[in-house]
Amino acid sequence: MSFFTKIIILFISFQAFAKSNIQDVALGYMNSLDSHNKEELRKYVSKDLYIKLNKNDLIDRYFKKRSKKKRKYKVKITDSKLVKGFVLVRLTDEKGETQSLKLVKNKQGEYKVQEILHLD
Amino acid sequence: MITIFISLGAFSMNASDTCKSLLGFIHKELTVDNFEKSVDRMNKKMVLALISAANESDKLGVKLSKDPELLSLLESMKHIDPNLESFLLENQNFRSYNFWKWLPFIKEPHRVSYQEVVHKWKDLQVKRPYLFKNLEDKHALDEWDTKTAQLLDSYPTDSSLGESADKTARLFKNAHQELVDDSLTDSKQLIIHLKKNIEELHKEVEKSAKDLLLQSLDDYKYVCSSKDLGPKFHQLACGTQENLRPVLDATLKDISDILDHDYLYSHANPPSSGGRIKIRDYDYKNINHAASYCKRNPNVVDTVVIHHSETQNTASPQLIHNIQVVAHEDSVDKNGKASPWYMIAYNYVVSAEYEGEGKELPKVYRGRPKDMKGAHAGGYVDIDKMNPEAKKALFNSSPSCGLNTDKDPSHIIDVQDYRAQRTYQKNLNKGIASANLTSVGVLVIGNYAPDIVNNALNPTGYPSDGPPRFPSTDALRSSAKLICQLRRDEHPNLTKITDHNYIKIKRNYEKGKRYAGTYCPGTVYLKMQKLYELTKEECPEFDFTLDISPKETVCPFLRKL
């Protein structure tokens, strides 16, 4: 295997690792909503978003409306080439309802959900 | 003023003496409300005068840089703030003065106070009436304003009020310099700064004068009724002297007429600008040059579509651009072909505070250029229902689509994309056109939906169990002015105002088919009638129709409101 081939394989593996990390965070976020688990949710969202979710008891009110059950999601990741650090994840559940999340890397290099986007 | 003093003279010397003193105090010493209103009145008049002068000099092409009064004002402002010298040196007149000031007949400028600034303005209004011909008589600076300025000057510069007064005076000077330089666009910007500063000054005035008033009113607390003193100082009021009632009423009415706060406020928005609003150019970063876009004839536009951004109202146009560009970076069309977005979807962006939030003036930014088709509406329109002139333009000028491969900032198409043109032709044959082609999108930045909507989280929305959030009247008025301006300058066939939901569902709804709408523009939908009325008010010379979603087609949260 030539040196360049090794570099390419290393690069592809790194990309794949990064993508799976993004997917894990997005799915972790959705699963914590499905299981009504606030502590779990804290792990996947940025500090700012967590504060917003707790303001006016938003997350508690939301849990009251959202049935507590596990769902399966199809995941589509857009790791932007144009806007640095902007990762958009779209998760579609069995009913076809889609959630769009903006993920960014924090100082520790971990991806966190920073915003819930409504793309209309 | 004269009326007031005549009225004051009508008081009898005995029983009314104390009340007369009180009224005298209101006039001469300036009380909290009056001092505050007087400062406001004076500043507003100066702003109005400045707006008028700026507009008139623009029309007449008068070179104000040759105006000795203005130069003198500019010069004297240097003494208010010596640090301004380097800034002033950029001004040609000031440089000339600096060069020639050793000549004996060039007078050394002296330190100017707020009072002198007012005085110079007054002088200018007398000497150059053509610049102020749009001002009503009551807006001319008078003795009362001189007194107000005098009182402002009596506060030492190291007090917060004195500092604030100085700052405002300096801004007036800057505004004058804009006139001197004939850079009128910037002077409008200065007027906005000025208004902000005036607000700050007001807070200081209120704070500082309150103690003065409370102390003085205490001396007169047994004279006037609570009605005379107003609800603010109700606790200080005692018995009423009935015989003084009519005189007192008349005098107080005179005072309120002269200090007609609301009237001046309502006229503080440039009256002579003909309802114009500044559209700021915005330098969008991260444009997707791999995306194709279409250029159109601006005359094909007959509809303005109102949107909200579903973000915080503090979001910048760049942030919205980023979200939209990224969201469509990997998009594909029905045929599986790549269909990314070139830039922000809307043609105009209105950034404003929510209703009841504050007084900052809304800002309007340009999104896509006026001749670029938007990507905001979705759906199609029936050509037969279009404005006839716009329809004619649609048939006479086909859009050109393609790529900006050399990434030039004027968005010139370098490589044509004939696929999009074929689609346009096919649609014309079917009697329809893309709604994006025939409309302009106006985005009101903000989230006008509840924080839980359609079973999804919307953290920047308003609490779903609380009162709804609406756009401010200022935001609506700015949008109305924008619509008028678009009709006047950019899209002469613009006649319809509609909301995003309706443009999306319209054709299906009218044919009795199923429809899938959107909850955009949130509660702005409920203010569409108001927007329409404001538009009629701003430009009564144009006819517009309001074409909004029927109530049964809007989102449940809107139907409940």
Side-chain angles (χ1 to χ4, degrees):
Chain A
M1 218 187 290
S2 75
F3 174 73
F4 286 112
T5 320
K6 278 179 190 168
I7 294 281
I8 290 166
I9 290 172
L10 200 69
F11 179 71
I12 292 170
S13 334
F14 177 74
Q15 293 279 66
F17 172 74
K19 282 224 167 179
S20 78
N21 187 7
I22 293 164
Q23 181 164 322
D24 290 348
V25 172
L27 282 172
Y29 165 81
M30 290 311 297
N31 292 336
S32 60
L33 291 185
D34 293 342
S35 56
H36 292 196
N37 190 335
K38 250 166 116 174
E39 279 315 301
E40 188 78 1
L41 181 71
R42 189 199 283 265
K43 283 190 216 165
Y44 301 110
V45 300
S46 70
K47 253 187 193 172
D48 281 356
L49 182 57
Y50 192 72
I51 292 168
K52 276 184 202 159
L53 289 173
N54 279 288
K55 205 175 163 191
N56 298 317
D57 300 324
L58 170 58
I59 200 67
D60 296 319
R61 282 188 284 122
Y62 183 61
F63 285 157
K64 273 184 200 164
K65 286 204 167 188
R66 189 181 175 88
S67 62
K68 195 174 177 178
K69 69 167 189 181
K70 252 196 157 182
R71 294 166 177 84
K72 277 186 181 171
Y73 296 95
K74 275 185 190 166
V75 184
K76 189 191 167 213
I77 298 170
T78 307
D79 192 353
S80 179
K81 294 174 203 76
L82 285 162
V83 185
K84 219 177 158 189
F86 195 129
V87 179
L88 178 73
V89 184
R90 284 185 171 105
L91 300 118
T92 312
D93 67 11
E94 301 105 322
K95 282 186 182 173
E97 280 182 11
T98 301
Q99 305 256 5
S100 302
L101 308 173
K102 177 185 169 185
L103 270 68
V104 289
K105 231 182 216 180
N106 64 13
K107 281 178 191 165
Q108 290 76 42
E110 301 162 323
Y111 280 100
K112 298 275 179 188
V113 178
Q114 194 207 36
E115 254 181 274
I116 299 157
L117 301 174
H118 291 257
L119 308 166
D120 214 352
Chain B
M1 289 297 288
I2 293 164
T3 329
I4 291 171
F5 287 117
I6 291 170
S7 307
L8 282 172
F11 284 98
S12 66
M13 284 306 287
N14 42 39
S16 63
D17 264 3
T18 338
C19 214
K20 186 179 169 186
S21 310
L22 173 59
L23 292 170
F25 168 78
I26 290 171
H27 282 89
K28 287 177 186 158
E29 308 293 327
L30 301 171
T31 60
V32 167
D33 277 357
N34 290 320
F35 184 34
E36 191 188 337
K37 283 178 182 176
S38 299
V39 172
D40 185 46
R41 176 178 183 263
M42 175 187 73
N43 283 328
K44 288 280 185 293
K45 282 182 184 179
M46 284 166 70
V47 171
L48 283 176
L50 184 60
I51 291 164
S52 172
N55 284 329
E56 288 310 308
S57 67
D58 189 25
K59 272 189 221 158
L60 298 169
V62 176
K63 290 284 167 206
L64 289 172
S65 51
K66 303 280 182 292
D67 194 313
E69 274 82 14
L70 285 171
L71 178 62
S72 148
L73 186 69
L74 179 87
E75 181 44 44
S76 54
M77 290 311 294
K78 189 187 81 177
H79 294 269
I80 286 183
D81 181 2
N83 297 330
L84 279 174
E85 184 147 7
S86 58
F87 175 65
L88 293 174
L89 279 170
E90 285 170 30
N91 181 274
Q92 201 186 339
N93 287 41
F94 187 75
R95 277 204 306 272
S96 320
Y97 164 77
N98 248 22
F99 186 74
W100 295 109
K101 65 182 175 188
W102 54 271
L103 291 170
F105 55 84
I106 304 269
K107 279 184 195 163
E108 178 71 19
H110 54 284
R111 181 185 156 77
V112 78
S113 61
Y114 217 110
Q115 199 183 345
E116 280 184 59
V117 173
V118 172
H119 180 68
K120 279 173 188 291
W121 263 113
K122 273 171 73 180
D123 255 19
L124 199 65
Q125 287 180 3
V126 174
K127 287 180 186 161
R128 315 222 172 254
Y130 59 87
L131 289 177
F132 306 97
K133 65 179 184 190
N134 289 321
L135 288 188
E136 291 176 38
D137 288 347
K138 69 193 287 185
H139 291 148
L141 291 162
D142 55 25
E143 279 311 304
W144 182 274
D145 298 313
T146 315
K147 276 187 183 179
T148 308
Q150 194 181 349
L151 193 70
L152 268 181
D153 284 339
S154 71
Y155 282 84
T157 27
D158 57 354
S159 70
S160 50
L161 175 58
E163 198 186 325
S164 193
D166 249 15
K167 233 162 98 183
T168 313
R170 275 203 296 276
L171 276 172
F172 272 117
K173 174 247 142 210
N174 283 349
H176 277 267
Q177 181 160 351
E178 289 294 328
L179 277 174
V180 172
D181 291 344
D182 288 333
S183 47
L184 295 169
T185 320
D186 285 351
S187 80
K188 283 177 190 163
Q189 182 64 36
L190 268 174
I191 286 164
I192 292 167
H193 283 309
L194 209 46
K195 285 185 178 175
K196 251 188 189 175
N197 229 67
I198 287 168
E199 265 180 40
E200 272 171 38
L201 176 62
H202 271 248
K203 281 180 202 155
E204 290 302 329
V205 167
E206 191 174 13
K207 221 163 54 187
S208 308
K210 197 163 186 169
D211 295 339
L212 175 73
L213 175 74
L214 284 175
Q215 185 196 334
S216 309
L217 274 187
D218 202 38
D219 299 338
Y220 303 105
K221 64 184 176 184
Y222 300 110
V223 181
C224 299
S225 71
S226 56
K227 196 181 165 196
D228 306 325
L229 293 172
K232 224 169 171 180
F233 303 103
H234 181 265
Q235 75 278 12
L236 298 172
C238 203
T240 312
Q241 297 183 11
E242 284 305 322
N243 58 330
L244 286 176
R245 179 89 276 141
V247 186
L248 204 57
D249 281 350
T251 311
L252 288 171
K253 190 183 172 303
D254 280 342
I255 296 170
S256 70
D257 282 350
I258 283 194
L259 304 173
D260 194 345
H261 195 248
D262 291 339
Y263 180 82
L264 282 168
Y265 256 123
S266 67
H267 285 71
N269 289 324
S272 50
S273 65
R276 294 192 73 81
I277 192 153
K278 185 178 176 184
I279 301 173
R280 293 151 203 264
D281 287 328
Y282 198 93
D283 182 18
Y284 291 93
K285 309 274 184 284
N286 312 318
I287 283 182
N288 191 349
H289 289 102
S292 77
Y293 56 92
C294 296
K295 292 274 186 119
R296 65 178 174 198
N297 174 350
N299 295 1
V300 304
V301 170
D302 73 346
T303 306
V304 57
V305 184
I306 307 294
H307 301 258
H308 76 149
S309 63
E310 292 185 55
T311 62
Q312 281 177 316
N313 65 340
T314 49
S316 65
Q318 181 66 54
L319 186 98
I320 290 151
H321 164 95
N322 285 349
I323 292 172
Q324 294 187 323
V325 161
V326 174
H328 293 90
E329 215 171 312
D330 293 343
S331 286
V332 284
D333 64 13
K334 286 175 203 160
N335 307 318
K337 290 194 174 161
S339 166
W341 283 11
Y342 183 69
M343 64 186 295
I344 190 169
Y346 316 97
N347 302 89
Y348 303 93
V349 180
V350 178
S351 170
E353 289 176 327
Y354 294 132
E355 187 178 53
E357 250 196 354
K359 278 184 182 171
E360 191 157 338
L361 288 172
K363 293 186 179 81
V364 177
Y365 299 97
R366 198 172 282 283
R368 293 191 171 206
K370 67 174 178 181
D371 61 346
M372 193 186 285
K373 180 182 157 187
H376 56 93
Y380 296 90
V381 292
D382 290 323
I383 292 173
D384 286 340
K385 289 179 184 165
M386 283 180 68
N387 170 307
E389 290 302 313
K391 184 178 163 184
K392 212 190 277 176
L394 189 70
F395 277 100
N396 292 339
S397 52
S398 72
S400 69
C401 307
L403 298 166
N404 176 11
T405 48
D406 65 0
K407 303 179 182 179
D408 73 88
S410 13
H411 314 290
I412 294 165
I413 293 173
D414 305 309
V415 178
Q416 290 284 339
D417 174 4
Y418 295 104
R419 202 172 37 141
Q421 267 154 305
R422 278 199 296 273
T423 313
Y424 154 80
Q425 203 55 52
K426 263 189 206 169
N427 286 339
L428 278 194
N429 295 339
K430 284 189 211 165
I432 56 172
S434 152
N436 280 318
L437 185 63
T438 62
S439 69
V440 277
V442 171
L443 173 75
V444 180
I445 300 182
N447 200 330
Y448 295 96
D451 55 8
I452 302 171
V453 61
N454 290 359
N455 296 324
L457 281 165
N458 179 27
T460 53
Y462 61 83
S464 52
D465 55 357
R469 179 189 283 158
F470 291 107
S472 65
T473 307
D474 277 348
L476 294 172
R477 188 168 288 281
S478 295
S479 306
K481 281 185 182 176
L482 173 66
I483 294 169
C484 290
Q485 206 159 310
L486 294 182
R487 167 76 184 259
R488 210 175 280 132
D489 302 342
E490 303 191 359
H491 305 290
N493 301 320
L494 183 65
T495 42
K496 271 182 244 169
I497 303 171
T498 192
D499 58 291
H500 184 199
N501 180 53
Y502 198 31
I503 204 89
K504 237 182 159 179
I505 55 133
K506 194 174 178 180
R507 289 186 71 247
N508 282 336
Y509 174 75
E510 284 171 353
K511 287 177 182 169
K513 288 185 191 170
R514 280 189 65 216
Y515 46 86
T518 158
Y519 55 85
C520 176
T523 58
V524 182
Y525 163 76
L526 300 166
K527 296 284 180 181
M528 291 296 288
Q529 180 66 34
K530 170 98 177 157
L531 172 67
Y532 172 64
E533 281 160 16
L534 288 172
T535 309
K536 281 204 299 189
E537 211 176 276
E538 286 294 332
C539 48
E541 69 273 29
F542 298 131
D543 283 332
F544 286 102
T545 50
L546 180 67
D547 204 9
I548 56 167
S549 305
K551 197 109 184 184
E552 64 270 23
T553 68
V554 300
C555 206
F557 80 83
L558 287 173
R559 264 179 262 163
K560 280 181 211 159
L561 294 174

